[in-house]
Amino acid sequence: MNYKFRSTCLSCKKKKLKKIIDLGNHSFADRFIPKKKLNLKDPKYPLILDLCTHCKFIQSRTITNPKNRYIEVDYSYTSSNSIYAKNHWTELANDLEKRIDLKNKKIIEIGSNDGFLSHLLKKKGAKVLGLDASDFMVKISKKKINAIHCIFSNKESKKIKKKFGQADIIIANNVLNHSDKPLDFLKGIYNLLKKDALFIFEQPNFTIGLLSLKFTTNMFLILLQETLNLY
Ligand SMILES: [Zn+2]
């Protein structure tokens, strides 16, 4: 199988991981197998969530290769796939414009996807560069914005710095949580930001997710008990 299990915490590196959810085997989210590849088996991976009892960081146990997720099959999720999503990104862009004069500001969006948000910021006068792990999404976004295909890391940040320079604002919505090397990812952000610059990111919140009751009642009670046991 093309995966490994994590044994040390992604954040504090201690071997203090405790399983809190096991949902069995699942294939990657946000992708559909195209007709021409239907003969290939869609790989499944154990969907297990661990909590670090030392630093309380919650993380997935299975380490997969990002190339298998983002490049093997065209990524299907788009930033502009619903009215709700479009309104959310429009609100973010308008809010940012109220706080900062965006004219000629250098903005890098990591996980720029189909370019929806970056394009809004470009229309407000910013100089934008989109980065995305999916080549397919980069091709779509290139119709509207300047974009590069890359799986973001500290190493990649050095190449981007040479080409684009440092940014006034870096945006990464629902991206850092996909990284298997979050500390290296943050080093890359630091390397690409100007002094007194802004890093804007969105992350899923475990507690809000738990309280949203999207899990069955039984699962909710197990999770609640497991979580309370840890404190
Ligand atoms: Zn930890």
Side-chain angles (χ1 to χ4, degrees), residues 181-194:
K181 291 175 185 164
L183 302 179
D184 179 77
F185 188 100
L186 288 171
K187 268 185 201 165
I189 299 282
Y190 182 74
N191 180 40
L192 269 180
L193 278 176
K194 285 182 187 172

Side-chain angles (χ1 to χ4, degrees), residues 9-14 17 52-57 59:
C9 173
L10 271 174
S11 178
C12 72
K13 308 288 178 198
K14 290 215 169 8
L17 298 176
C52 171
T53 55
H54 178 75
C55 75
K56 315 293 186 213
F57 192 73
Q59 54 215 279

Side-chain angles (χ1 to χ4, degrees), residues 132-165:
D132 203 277
S134 161
D135 195 25
F136 179 64
M137 284 300 150
V138 169
K139 277 181 196 144
I140 293 174
S141 68
K142 269 190 169 175
K143 289 172 193 163
K144 296 176 281 187
I145 58 157
N146 181 18
I148 296 172
H149 174 229
C150 85
I151 295 170
F152 189 75
S153 63
N154 190 26
K155 194 178 161 193
E156 287 294 330
S157 81
K158 288 171 189 165
K159 290 186 210 163
I160 295 156
K161 197 172 170 179
K162 274 185 195 160
K163 281 186 201 163
F164 189 71

Side-chain angles (χ1 to χ4, degrees), residues 28-220:
F28 286 122
D30 298 323
R31 71 178 196 167
F32 295 103
I33 308 298
K35 260 186 186 172
K36 60 183 178 192
K37 289 188 179 174
L38 277 178
N39 58 328
L40 302 173
K41 212 175 171 189
D42 193 19
K44 288 181 177 178
Y45 305 93
L47 190 53
I48 299 169
L49 208 58
D50 282 340
L51 183 138
C52 171
T53 55
H54 178 75
C55 75
K56 315 293 186 213
F57 192 73
I58 293 172
Q59 54 215 279
S60 68
R61 179 175 291 194
T62 310
I63 305 168
T64 57
N65 185 339
K67 285 180 184 163
N68 293 135
R69 178 161 192 218
Y70 299 105
I71 298 167
E72 198 176 72
V73 170
D74 293 339
Y75 194 62
S76 67
Y77 175 84
T78 61
S79 307
S80 56
N81 67 359
S82 68
I83 300 279
Y84 180 85
K86 281 183 184 176
N87 287 344
H88 177 70
W89 304 125
T90 306
E91 216 173 280
L92 193 155
N94 290 343
D95 186 48
L96 199 57
E97 193 184 32
K98 271 184 216 159
R99 292 162 191 255
I100 299 161
D101 178 14
L102 294 173
K103 290 227 163 43
N104 296 319
K105 288 280 188 300
K106 274 190 179 181
I107 300 181
I108 296 175
E109 187 188 6
I110 305 169
S112 50
N113 197 266
D114 63 1
F116 186 80
L117 175 61
S118 280
H119 188 226
L120 290 176
L121 299 169
K122 185 183 169 185
K123 285 193 280 186
K124 292 180 186 297
K127 288 178 183 170
V128 300
L129 173 68
L131 310 174
D132 203 277
S134 161
D135 195 25
F136 179 64
M137 284 300 150
V138 169
K139 277 181 196 144
I140 293 174
S141 68
K142 269 190 169 175
K143 289 172 193 163
K144 296 176 281 187
I145 58 157
N146 181 18
I148 296 172
H149 174 229
C150 85
I151 295 170
F152 189 75
S153 63
N154 190 26
K155 194 178 161 193
E156 287 294 330
S157 81
K158 288 171 189 165
K159 290 186 210 163
I160 295 156
K161 197 172 170 179
K162 274 185 195 160
K163 281 186 201 163
F164 189 71
Q166 284 176 308
D168 297 287
I169 302 169
I170 296 182
I171 302 175
N173 293 324
N174 284 297
V175 183
L176 179 58
N177 46 301
H178 286 291
S179 175
D180 264 324
K181 291 175 185 164
L183 302 179
D184 179 77
F185 188 100
L186 288 171
K187 268 185 201 165
I189 299 282
Y190 182 74
N191 180 40
L192 269 180
L193 278 176
K194 285 182 187 172
K195 216 180 166 192
D196 297 323
L198 209 58
F199 175 42
I200 300 168
F201 61 104
E202 270 184 20
Q203 297 282 106
N205 182 301
F206 179 77
T207 313
I208 291 172
L210 184 68
L211 296 175
S212 71
L213 300 177
K214 282 173 187 151
F215 296 96
T216 60
T217 316
N218 198 22
M219 177 67 89
F220 173 76

